[in-house]
């Protein structure tokens, strides 16, 4: 068996394994089960998906349209944004498609494993939304490695990253009580540093080639991804929040993104020696405001806070592209194709710090009783008098740990720290695996090159290869 | 009058005729009528469109966001997917646009004719959703014929196909009581075999030309169509379902598509002699899971069943592209430009069979009382004691035919059979009409060629034709 | 400081100014405030965003999914539609992105200033939707000037246009009681004639260059914009309407657009000397039906009325492109790059007239009591007996001016007139400012040219400029 065949067998084997695991463990959530009939159960169309509510407190309420927004971000957003490389468009959108489809299934299994219900994994709208979020982490890591890995390596990476992702999220959310509505720590920071650590392990001197750049057309395609990501980011940051938290999450993300976009354009031209705009910044740094506001998206950061976050995110991101990415590549031997560090890494750390500060200053004065729902760890202890008093107004409130705002802030930073440690350690281990001989195959000329992986027109009719220079749009193929 | 002018007059005439028919027959549904005021009618904002409910049992509840998802599939999904031909992009998205806009109006009229209310055709969100579904059938037929027909032929085809489509659906749903939530039989099988029959009638020896292939750029554009179809397919399969049926339809379609996508990538590379991925499969076969799960989308097929269906659909579709399409063209003289048979035809038949099996094994044990809502023909006879007992819990339940699961399964297969017969017979008749001399115009060099139908830049300024080789749009690449 | 640097400093300064204004004035709407807790406030998840209702009568109910549809129109729709120029794609989508992000923030401030609540500007979903609408007006003006302005000019234009936009809307809606559900007057007419007046002031003899045309690829990219605009236009026209008004607005817009699309294709081919379709019409005139039905979108114009409006809009728009645009440029010295006059200008005036007629004939016979909600000025005077009688059924109804249908029609026309006056006068003043020396910079060869504003690959590695002339993507131009 030639090694270049491996990914076909591997993908098929993985899919069959998923099928077997689905047979063994995965069931419909009661809300999606035919035996659940609203009239029989005394409710009235309660679980319609466009505004899905459940008795299950784990689920709160979810909106199918917001799920679809996130879904578009994963497949159109990431897939087309990564099309910016001039000879790697088919791979960008194609491999993104394959890997994300794999991640959705693997994430349902792995995430579900951490939230077993009577020994089974249940699927519902919430599980699908969670699977899409999880896929985002893997695709962020993919962005670091874009053009430098084989499909086989990507499949192995996805299989290894998702369990680590799930463990880290459970530690952060359940053990530390950290909140992170837009998943800036658990998705963005995790995915970015995991990918950077893998990249360190896969270091090669020839990673920067002439093909690493964009073309006019590829830059236009990439903008499809950028703009859809930018538009639907509020749904990403607030899709899992209830009521006014969701409303606030939408507003904060909207304002932060708008401020970030304008600031990015300003800085891009100001920092260029010819005072021109740089598509790299426009495609990426405009989105940093969505990442940077993520952890605090549902907190009372106020509209001005959101605007400030957007400005800072643009500053961090544009400067990262200008000064840090070259340094990372030359000094630390970490090559980062998409500049993920500047879009997800640094802005994610910024988000975590902002989240810690916002959590630290949160008080009943500004949040009212919602404080204890937004920060469950700050709710009084079970069976305490304070809790009983609160339960008179909020009957569903559960007992927490009664911690202070400062403690909450420290737990937030602890969650960031643990995320960094697990992501980097996990990335190093994964990178070592990906370096194993059967997986590491690419020659220099195969970097950032579709032809290695895709049937191209020219190959089909080699006969009149000469004549195909009628240069139709297909320049990418030679 | 030169024959190539015909389509302009025809389109205008059709539009005027539609207007006259709208004047004569089409009215707002009461829910969209200003005289319907929620407070006057004792309800409270009940018919807001983002979660539209109606007292009309025919309508159940519909969600505007899901309608919009389907709308995107019809115009972006089909339009851009068909852009894969290297010289036919303007026609693909343009003619798709024109034909679909025609179909929406014609479908409102024709579908409405079969559901007259007091002699008038009523429009509401439901009618719009139905019109979009109907347009899908015509666009599927268009896919078979892509690049080989004139606009005139397409208009005639749409006008002839939709009444047959509507008759077939009424026979299947109302007379046989067949269920088909994702319209795999009534839209996909019907549209595919109708188009294939037309193609047989329009057979020409020179249908395969050098222009039939894709280019690098056209493949990227086509992926916009593919990915949006893939993302919004759950809304297509479940948009018309209520409550937990909808939730289940979303989950089943999501899982089936994910499994189908990964399997398609695996098979595509495994079956290629150079072990490369084939964009044809990625663009089309990844979607077969949505078709194949369609009929049973809202049934209790379980997550593992959905995964299995996705795997099977990919297998059928990829193998169809590799082995069957060439055979169809050479042996049966049926040329199929988009390979519609492998995306809509075979997976649609698979869906119908799966639907029959799932209907055959459906029981009150697994479905609870929902069984009689999902399969109305299985509800006890009007005025029977069993019905009265059920109505104590489900007051709106209407009497059915009291048939068994096996009978339901047979009716499902009968609906498939009748769909195939009407589609193929109708397609043959339509094809004979399309062969009439005034309509059949294309020369070999006009196949798959935009220049025949679109004003191209070069024509405008023939003067400096030579000079325009300043390689346009490609300035980014030097 | 070289003048070409100005836009970077200007954009940064504007963003900082916005931040300061946000600090001083902008607060969360109570519905988005953490202290607003549904249980504490006696409601139950009332303000979830997928179906947002508020006690605030100014807000009625808004749907987040419809807001997102509009959001997509602004950034994908306008951004990609304007990509049709062959060498200006980066600027089209990029500058659209920058300007729109600026407009969102500026519109929140300016619109909010006219609806102050206790001295503060409040943001909520409604404010965001309004900001997107406002951005649309500026982007329409941008379309007239596409390729002929510097970023600096665009920023100044946006800053000047939005206050005038807001004043005009307040005059029209609050003082004249004019209704305009789809904003055909307040957005489309205003934006178009404002832009045309600016264009008159910026007249230059060399505005028509060889680069003003499209290429095959750029036409395909533009179709992404067209189709998304076409699909989501019902959300634009009805997103701010309640209940059955919204339902009717969706239906009317859907039908008008379908009729307009088919008619556009028919006229485009009939009026061409070679009987070919013209992408300019397909990209633009297909959308005129959405504009023309805008003012009357929620009125009882009936499905046939909507179809008729669509047909008329296509006629006006296609003929405008064929006959009027060249005249405007040659006789009136108004150059209109995108033909905005034919898509937004004339169809907007058509919409205003249709709106006036529909308002004139509106009666309680056809509207029931909804008449007084749709036309608040027609409600009886405060404290009148008639009002009290109506309030028995509609307790929230407020007193109006008790005007007749004819008066309402006249006020509609007055609003149109004032819109035209403010737009043209404002545009002239703005144009005079934009002509000031520091802002007006473009040489002939810099018109419609990305290279002036964007870092292009070629600049980076001038070394092998010669070798890559394999002419990419430009086949469409032969």
């Amino acid at each position: 068996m030639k090694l270049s065949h491996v990914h076909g067998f591997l993908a098929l084997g993985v899919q069959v394994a998923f099928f077997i695991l689905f047979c063994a463990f995965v069931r419909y959530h009661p809300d999606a089960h035919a035996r659940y009939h609203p009239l029989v159960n005394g409710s009235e169309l309660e679980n319609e998906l466009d505004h899905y509510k459940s008795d299950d407190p784990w689920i709160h309420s979810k909106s199918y349209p917001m799920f679809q927004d996130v879904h578009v971000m994963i497949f159109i957003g990431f897939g087309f944004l990564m099309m910016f490389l001039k000879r790697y468009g088919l791979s960008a959108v194609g491999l993104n498609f394959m890997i994300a489809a794999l991640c959705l299934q693997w994430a349902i299994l792995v995430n579900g494993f951490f939230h077993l219900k009577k020994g089974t994994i249940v699927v519902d709208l919430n599980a699908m939304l969670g699977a899409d979020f999880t896929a985002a982490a893997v695709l962020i890591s993919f962005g670091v490695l874009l053009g430098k890995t084989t499909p086989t390596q990507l499949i192995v990476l996805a299989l290894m990253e998702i369990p680590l992702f799930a463990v880290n999220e459970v530690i952060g959310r359940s053990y530390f009580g950290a909140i992170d509505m837009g998943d800036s720590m658990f998705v963005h920071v995790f995915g970015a540093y995991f990918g950077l650590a893998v990249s360190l392990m896969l270091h090669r001197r020839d990673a920067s080639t002439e093909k690493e750049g964009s073309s006019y057309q590829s830059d236009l395609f990439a903008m499809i991804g950028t703009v859809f990501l930018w538009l639907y980011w509020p749904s990403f940051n607030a899709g899992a929040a209830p009521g006014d938290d969701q409303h606030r999450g939408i507003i904060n993300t909207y304002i932060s993104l708008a401020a970030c976009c304008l600031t990015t354009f300003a800085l891009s031209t100001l920092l260029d020696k010819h005072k021109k705009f740089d598509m790299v910044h426009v495609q990426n740094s405009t989105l940093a405001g969505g990442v940077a506001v993520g952890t605090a998206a549902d907190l009372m950061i106020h509209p001005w806070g959101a605007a400030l976050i957007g400005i800072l995110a643009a500053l961090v991101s544009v400067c990262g592209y200008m000064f840090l990415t070259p340094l990372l590549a030359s000094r630390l031997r970490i090559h980062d194709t998409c500049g993920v560090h500047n879009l997800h890494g640094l802005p994610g750390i910024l988000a975590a710090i902002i989240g810690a500060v916002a959590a630290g200053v949160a008080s009943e004065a500004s949040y009212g009783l919602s404080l204890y729902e937004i920060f469950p760890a700050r709710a009084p202890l079970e069976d305490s008098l304070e809790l009983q008093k609160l339960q008179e107004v909020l009957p569903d409130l559960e007992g927490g740990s009664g911690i202070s705002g400062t403690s909450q802030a420290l737990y937030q930073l602890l969650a960031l720290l643990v995320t960094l440690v697990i992501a980097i350690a996990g990335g190093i281990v994964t990178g070592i695996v990906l370096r194993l001989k059967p997986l590491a195959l690419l020659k220099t000329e195969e970097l950032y090159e579709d032809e290695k992986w895709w049937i191209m027109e020219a190959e089909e009719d080699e006969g009149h290869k000469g004549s195909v220079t009628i240069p139709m749009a297909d320049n990418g193929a030679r």
Side-chain angles (χ1 to χ4, degrees), chain A:
Chain A
M1 190 174 80
K2 265 183 67 182
L3 286 172
S4 55
H5 304 200
V6 171
H7 59 275
F9 290 106
L10 182 60
L12 195 60
V14 166
Q15 182 59 57
V16 171
F18 286 168
F19 168 64
I20 294 169
L21 291 169
F22 269 66
C23 290
F25 296 114
V26 184
R27 300 292 175 263
Y28 296 126
H29 188 280
D31 290 349
H33 197 289
R35 277 201 305 266
Y36 176 100
H37 188 290
L39 286 179
V40 176
N41 295 274
S43 62
E44 196 175 333
L45 291 173
E46 272 291 278
N47 70 344
E48 300 253 322
L49 273 194
D50 51 352
H51 187 144
Y52 172 45
K53 286 173 220 158
S54 175
D55 298 333
D56 193 332
W58 173 48
I59 291 178
H60 302 298
S61 73
K62 293 288 180 294
S63 149
Y64 177 72
M66 291 194 193
F67 157 74
Q68 273 293 2
D69 293 351
V70 174
H71 212 35
V72 169
M73 292 173 76
I74 302 302
F75 288 84
I76 291 285
F78 282 102
F80 280 79
L81 176 53
M82 291 197 282
M83 258 196 201
F84 76 98
L85 290 173
K86 58 186 158 200
R87 290 172 184 277
Y88 206 63
L90 301 177
S91 300
V93 70
L95 296 181
N96 185 80
F97 196 14
M98 177 183 81
I99 293 299
L102 182 156
C103 287
L104 296 187
Q105 299 175 76
W106 187 221
I108 285 175
L109 289 164
V110 174
N111 291 342
F113 176 75
F114 286 98
H115 299 92
L116 287 178
K117 311 241 160 181
K118 300 182 192 160
T120 67
I121 290 166
V122 295
V123 274
D124 63 354
L125 184 59
N126 192 62
M128 295 191 289
L129 184 60
D132 273 76
F133 276 120
T134 307
V138 175
L139 299 176
I140 289 167
S141 304
F142 176 32
V144 179
L145 306 168
L146 189 70
K148 298 172 296 193
T149 46
T150 65
T152 307
Q153 287 176 315
L154 289 175
I155 293 171
V156 173
L157 177 136
L159 293 176
M160 293 183 69
E161 181 168 0
I162 288 181
L164 293 167
F165 168 91
V167 165
N168 180 58
E169 189 173 16
V170 167
I171 292 174
R173 290 199 199 274
S174 304
Y175 288 78
F176 299 158
I179 56 105
D180 186 13
M181 187 48 77
D183 271 326
S184 292
M185 292 191 285
F186 300 132
V187 167
H188 295 287
V189 170
F190 186 88
Y193 287 93
F194 186 93
L196 292 165
V198 172
S199 183
L200 176 65
M201 289 297 104
L202 297 183
H203 170 70
R204 51 193 297 168
R205 285 166 179 277
D206 59 352
S208 286
T209 80
E210 176 259 347
K211 290 182 199 160
E212 207 189 344
S214 66
S215 72
Y216 193 72
Q217 300 290 329
S218 72
D219 270 334
L220 295 178
F221 276 112
M223 284 304 288
I224 300 173
T226 295
V227 178
F228 271 110
L229 284 169
W230 194 89
L231 291 170
Y232 288 151
W233 211 293
S235 301
F236 190 96
N237 276 357
D244 60 272
D245 306 17
Q246 185 170 76
H247 201 162
R248 207 158 50 246
I250 301 276
I251 292 169
N252 289 337
T253 309
Y254 179 91
I255 292 174
S256 175
L257 284 166
C260 181
C261 176
L262 186 53
T263 310
T264 295
F265 274 87
L267 296 177
S268 183
T269 179
L270 286 173
L271 293 176
D272 179 55
K273 60 178 185 289
H274 301 298
K275 304 299 161 198
K276 295 190 178 185
F277 298 117
D278 190 336
M279 278 309 281
V280 171
H281 305 148
V282 170
Q283 284 160 3
N284 294 283
S285 300
T286 51
L287 301 168
V291 178
V293 81
T295 302
D298 61 331
L299 303 185
M300 290 291 294
I301 54 175
H302 302 287
W304 60 263
L308 181 60
I309 292 169
I311 295 170
L312 290 177
L315 187 67
V316 163
S317 183
V318 172
C319 291
Y321 276 104
M322 306 247 358
F323 309 117
L324 212 58
T325 297
L327 277 185
L328 278 183
S330 60
R331 296 291 164 85
L332 296 184
R333 301 176 157 216
I334 299 176
H335 184 274
D336 179 1
T337 310
C338 293
V340 157
H341 190 236
N342 313 303
L343 168 49
H344 303 279
L346 290 179
I349 289 178
L350 182 60
I353 294 168
I354 291 166
V357 172
V361 301
S363 69
E364 220 179 283
S366 54
Y367 287 73
L369 299 188
S370 300
L371 183 72
Y372 307 107
E373 291 186 341
I374 294 175
F375 303 100
R378 296 195 62 180
L381 292 168
E382 197 67 59
D383 300 319
S384 65
L385 272 176
E386 292 97 324
L387 185 66
Q388 285 167 26
K389 220 172 109 193
L390 287 170
Q391 284 172 335
E392 283 168 25
V393 189
L394 307 173
D396 291 336
L397 190 68
E398 294 182 15
S401 321
I403 64 173
S404 68
T406 310
S407 300
Q408 178 73 40
L410 292 174
Y411 277 117
Q412 295 292 127
L413 294 176
L414 192 57
L416 171 64
L417 192 70
V418 169
T419 297
L420 284 168
V421 168
I422 295 182
I424 292 171
I428 287 173
V429 172
T430 304
I432 290 170
V433 172
L434 296 190
R435 267 197 325 200
L436 296 178
K437 202 140 181 216
L439 304 177
L441 285 167
L442 290 178
K443 298 175 203 147
T444 303
E445 67 269 24
E446 292 167 349
L447 294 171
Y448 320 111
E449 175 60 59
D450 273 334
E451 204 172 4
K452 170 78 178 168
W453 307 111
W454 297 90
I455 298 175
M456 299 290 212
E457 200 63 9
E459 299 172 5
E460 296 299 292
D461 29 2
E462 308 228 359
H464 42 98
K465 209 172 189 175
S467 68
V468 188
T469 45
I470 325 159
M472 155 96 69
D474 111 291
N475 58 302
R478 237 96 338 170

